[in-house]
Amino acid sequence: MTELMGSQEKNFFAGLVDFGFRQQQVRRLVKILYVIAVLGGFVAVVAQVVIGFQQTQSQGLVALVVGIPAFFVWVLLSRLLLELALIMVRTAEGIERATHTSN
């Protein structure tokens, strides 16, 4: 099992430096990009709230009240765009399979 994980990690990093784009990494990268988007949005909201409270209490409350819905919209849009990327990849794979006949 560890041999399989090692080969998958090697294939992942080899795919990242594949300048010929022969390997598709979108399916693997979507998980990482989603985590980065969620964490980045959370850090941005927390930073805005902290900065707002450092200036005045009312700005901190406004940042908190506006930041929470904005965070959820950010997560929703990030998820939507990443799923659209996956749909495009799946569509391209389906078209490629349909147009290439097996010998």
Side-chain angles (χ1 to χ4, degrees):
M1 184 68 165
T2 57
E3 293 174 2
L4 181 61
M5 292 301 290
S7 67
Q8 285 179 346
E9 288 178 14
K10 183 180 178 183
N11 289 339
F12 175 73
F13 290 113
L16 288 179
V17 295
D18 178 24
F19 293 107
F21 291 96
R22 289 180 295 275
Q23 297 178 355
Q24 292 185 354
Q25 300 294 320
V26 174
R27 291 183 184 192
R28 295 178 189 160
L29 288 176
V30 164
K31 297 173 190 175
I32 296 168
L33 292 174
Y34 186 62
V35 169
I36 290 170
V38 170
L39 289 177
F42 180 75
V43 169
V45 168
V46 169
Q48 287 296 323
V49 170
V50 168
I51 290 170
F53 275 116
Q54 286 177 348
Q55 293 174 356
T56 64
Q57 202 171 26
S58 61
Q59 282 183 343
L61 288 174
V62 168
L64 184 63
V65 169
V66 172
I68 292 172
F71 171 71
F72 287 112
V73 169
W74 169 253
V75 170
L76 179 68
L77 288 175
S78 299
R79 179 74 185 218
L80 175 71
L81 291 174
L82 290 171
E83 286 187 14
L84 283 173
L86 282 176
I87 289 170
M88 290 186 338
V89 167
R90 289 182 185 134
T91 303
E93 288 174 350
I95 290 171
E96 186 175 339
R97 266 189 264 121
T99 56
H100 290 82
T101 57
S102 300
N103 290 339

